[in-house]
Every structure is written in structure tokens, then in C-alpha cells.
Amino acid sequence: MKLFLALAILCLTAIKASAGDEKPVEFTLQEKQMIVAHGPWPLAMEPDSSNRYSGSDVAIAFGQRLFNDTRLSSERDLSCATCHKSSQSFADGMARSVGRNTVDRNTPSLANLRLNRWFGWSGGADTLWGQSVRPLQDEKEHNLTPDVLVERIAEDETLLGDYAQAFGAGVFDHEPELVMANVGKALAAWQETLKTPRTVFDQFRDVMAVGGTDYPTGFSLSAQRGLKLFVGKAKCSICHFGPNFTNGEFHDIGLSYFIEDGRVDSGRYAGIQTFQDTPFTRAGKYSDERPETAQKAPGQFVQLQHRNWGEFRVPSLRNVTNTAPYMHNGSLQDLNAVIDHYSTMDLERLHINGESLLQPLGLSDDDVSDLIAFLHSLSGAPSTQ
């Protein structure tokens, strides 16, 4: 009996030790400064100075209506909401989306877009309204010409009235390309309202910012260890920094250039070419930007360079756990696959002028688990509030 009691006590002691052996995570001063720099959230979002309808309630309502209208496609069977589903955080859960045909890239979420300065995976637009026009005209997506767009609006009295109310003139008072630009601006005005909410990470960050220690209980020790990795050993914050967890720039991270056999996606290289060929830019004739400001826009200084081949825009990590699969081509199915890519990446697959900062991380299974726990703390369904 005494032996039995002794063994029981030893077992209970072992269980208690196991349950309480997680040590509090300690952050250095530098790590704390890097963590605090990921906020505050939400950020104030000023109206887009290139879009005079940005922030207009009338334009926002019209844009939301257009976003869900299948008449904005050649065969009247696709809307923006076909690929950007509200139930899936305004993505679609597919590796590569399907419009008229299968497109070349993954559908990104639409949350927090007002914070971007380049749009699309390859940065083919420097305004949200310019980016909103692109899928309308793309042959693989909506396949809609400006002339047909005018006809579709004109055939519906409600749309005619909405257009006139939003833009102060009738659809036939504007040339078709201007109508296309205005529709893009209304779509952009509505998309600007899509924002991700505060999360448990933001609560944790705010406590740290004021030197407190009363951290939210929902931010687990595993998530804290993952955060320490994020700003430290894993070096994620080199590209994913700031309140929106992105530098907004373009990088080659060693993914395949091939869309399919015999066909490649040149990424930013093609994006710059697209940008230079479109009239729907911040400095273009349809922009509402002041001329003196338009001439200082980033697009005025962009130059096509060989190093841009295979570069893609760094996505925000807010809401990341809700928007799988990942990467520009949807080739990585979950966060484990993403971290495995960075942990075991083959540097020889990088472009000749590739990212010199990238090195295989070699993370342990526990590290991966902690990093994923942290990434979960950044997620919340987008809202328009």
C-alpha cells in the first residue's frame, strides 16, 4: 500500500510538472520595439487622393452593387464576388481562380487594400481603382470592353440612375473608357471599406507598448514563442513588418516560374509592363490626383529591370489563416507548407539577382507549431465597420 501511494504521488507530481513547465516568454528590448512597430491597429485610412469618389457613401453603395452584378461580364455569369467570396474572407479557396478560363494566379483577399501602394501580385496597378478595372477587361476573367460596359449600364434604369447619382453625369455623357474608370473608382470605394478587425495580437501589442505585463489570456505562450521567432530567428519581419505585416514590395522567394509546362509567369517584370501600358494610373488622364502630387507617385520612377523577373508582392499576414492556399500561384496548401518552404528552401532556385537575405531556416517541429500559433493570432474575418 505504501509503495502504491508513493508511486501515485510521483505520478501526480510528474503531471503537475509537465502541465506547468512552460516558461514565460521573455523579450529583449529590441524585440519589444519590433513588436510594438506592428501597431497600432486599425490604422486610419485617408481617402484615396487619385479617386474623388473615395469615401463617398453614394459611390460605396454603387460599388457594392456593381461588385455583385454578373452583368459586368461578357456572358453575364461572373461578378467580382464569384472569386472574392465574403464567406471566404473575400478570397475563393482555390489555388488558381476560374473565370472564363483558369487564370494564372491565386485570388488574394480584399481586406485592408487602402494601405497598398501597388496592387495585384505583380503590381500592375498603382491605384485600387486601376486594379479593379483590370479583371473587368481581362479575357480570362470578365472579358468586358468599355463599350459593352456602357451598354450593360444603359439597359437598366436603376444602374443608369445610380451612375448619374454617383458621378454627376449620365453614362452617355462620358466616353466609354471614362465610364470604365468610374466603375473602377466605385468598386474601389467599396473595397476600401473592407478591413480586418483587431485581434488578440493587437491587444498583446498594446499592453507591451505601454510597458504593461497584464497580457490577454488568449495570446498563448505558444503564440508568444512564435512571435519571438517571427521578429528574431525566423526573420519574418524583414518583409512582413508594420501594422499591416507587409513591406508592400516585391521579392523572389524561390518558387517555380512555370504556370504550366512551357509557360512562365515573370511576376513583377510583367507587372511593370502592364502598368506602363494602362491609362488607369495615379498620374494618368483619369486620375483625380493633383498634377504636382501625381508627378511624385512611385509609378513615375519605376523602371523595368531584369531583377524583377519572378518577383511577387509581399502579402499582408493579417487574416492569413483564413485565406489558404498560399503564394501567387496557390502552390502551398497550408501554413505548414509555407513554413516548410522557408525552412528547407533551395537557394539555387532563386533568380540570379535573388534575395540575398533568404536562408533556409531549419526550424524544429516545435518552432513551426509556435509560429503557426502566432499567425493564428493575426486573423479575423474582414468587416466594413
Side-chain angles (χ1 to χ4, degrees):
M1 178 61 72
K2 289 182 179 180
L3 178 61
F4 175 80
L5 288 173
L7 289 173
I9 291 171
L10 284 173
C11 289
L12 287 172
T13 302
I15 292 171
K16 288 181 179 180
S18 176
D21 63 358
E22 287 191 303
K23 298 179 181 179
V25 179
E26 296 183 2
F27 296 94
T28 66
L29 177 60
Q30 182 181 19
E31 288 170 341
K32 288 180 179 180
Q33 291 172 337
M34 294 174 72
I35 292 167
V36 169
H38 284 294
W41 191 263
L43 288 175
M45 299 187 192
E46 298 295 327
D48 179 1
S49 55
S50 74
N51 178 3
R52 71 179 66 186
Y53 310 106
S54 175
S56 161
D57 290 339
V58 175
I60 290 169
F62 187 38
Q64 184 175 13
R65 196 168 299 122
L66 291 170
F67 188 88
N68 293 283
D69 197 324
T70 58
R71 287 171 294 185
L72 266 65
S73 63
S74 59
E75 302 301 317
R76 302 172 185 264
D77 58 349
L78 295 174
S79 71
C80 303
T82 301
C83 293
H84 296 284
K85 304 178 188 296
S86 60
S87 61
Q88 294 181 260
S89 295
F90 293 95
D92 62 7
M94 302 176 66
R96 290 162 53 197
S97 298
V98 179
R100 302 255 68 73
N101 304 105
T102 300
V103 302
D104 295 341
R105 296 173 184 162
N106 174 261
T107 297
S109 173
L110 300 181
N112 309 322
L113 290 181
R114 179 66 192 91
L115 298 173
N116 289 7
R117 65 173 180 171
W118 292 105
F119 298 85
W121 280 109
S122 60
D126 67 344
T127 64
L128 180 52
W129 56 272
Q131 173 63 20
S132 298
V133 166
R134 189 205 58 74
L136 296 182
Q137 296 185 302
D138 193 309
E139 292 181 356
K140 289 185 176 182
E141 299 185 62
H142 294 242
N143 192 31
L144 200 65
T145 66
D147 289 328
V148 172
L149 176 61
V150 171
E151 293 174 4
R152 297 291 169 84
I153 294 174
E155 72 185 25
D156 185 283
E157 291 295 330
T158 300
L159 290 182
L160 273 174
D162 288 345
Y163 184 93
Q165 185 178 12
F167 304 119
V171 69
F172 292 115
D173 296 323
H174 292 156
E175 60 170 310
E177 198 169 65
L178 175 57
V179 173
M180 181 69 78
N182 283 340
V183 165
K185 290 178 180 180
L187 288 167
W190 181 68
Q191 290 171 81
E192 287 171 356
T193 68
L194 302 176
K195 306 170 185 177
T196 54
R198 284 174 55 80
T199 69
V200 67
F201 163 76
D202 297 302
Q203 299 172 36
F204 177 87
R205 176 263 170 204
D206 291 352
V207 172
M208 180 172 284
V210 297
T213 57
D214 187 19
Y215 297 127
T217 56
F219 197 65
S220 67
L221 288 175
S222 178
Q224 292 180 43
R225 291 192 297 268
L227 174 56
K228 189 176 180 72
L229 282 167
F230 187 89
V231 300
K233 175 183 175 181
K235 299 180 180 179
C236 308
S237 57
I238 290 177
C239 294
H240 295 283
F241 62 72
N244 200 29
F245 286 85
T246 175
N247 64 5
E249 294 300 328
F250 303 84
H251 298 279
D252 177 358
I253 60 168
L255 294 172
S256 173
Y257 300 146
F258 286 93
I259 302 168
E260 52 199 26
D261 289 344
R263 200 160 64 87
V264 299
D265 187 338
S266 59
R268 180 62 170 151
Y269 193 89
I272 292 174
Q273 293 175 316
T274 297
F275 172 75
Q276 292 175 336
D277 290 340
T278 181
F280 304 112
T281 68
R282 188 170 292 277
K285 65 179 180 178
Y286 298 115
S287 175
D288 300 311
E289 192 76 73
R290 296 193 309 273
E292 64 272 19
T293 306
Q295 294 308 312
K296 298 177 183 178
Q300 294 299 96
F301 305 98
V302 69
Q303 296 180 348
L304 192 64
Q305 300 181 55
H306 185 60
R307 71 175 302 276
N308 299 129
W309 189 278
E311 293 181 334
F312 293 90
R313 187 170 58 81
V314 176
S316 168
L317 295 182
R318 286 196 175 269
N319 211 34
V320 66
T321 55
N322 297 338
T323 55
Y326 302 106
M327 305 304 178
H328 71 277
N329 55 6
S331 60
L332 302 181
Q333 290 301 305
D334 54 35
L335 290 175
N336 286 89
V338 173
I339 296 174
D340 182 66
H341 169 75
Y342 285 109
S343 195
T344 63
M345 66 189 307
D346 181 0
L347 296 182
E348 292 187 1
R349 293 201 59 173
L350 291 178
H351 191 270
I352 190 170
N353 293 318
E355 304 299 326
S356 59
L357 291 174
L358 286 178
Q359 295 293 328
L361 299 178
L363 299 179
S364 69
D365 289 344
D366 287 342
D367 287 341
V368 171
S369 178
D370 290 339
L371 196 52
I372 289 177
F374 165 64
L375 293 173
H376 272 276
S377 77
L378 300 178
S379 295
S383 70
T384 58
Q385 297 178 355

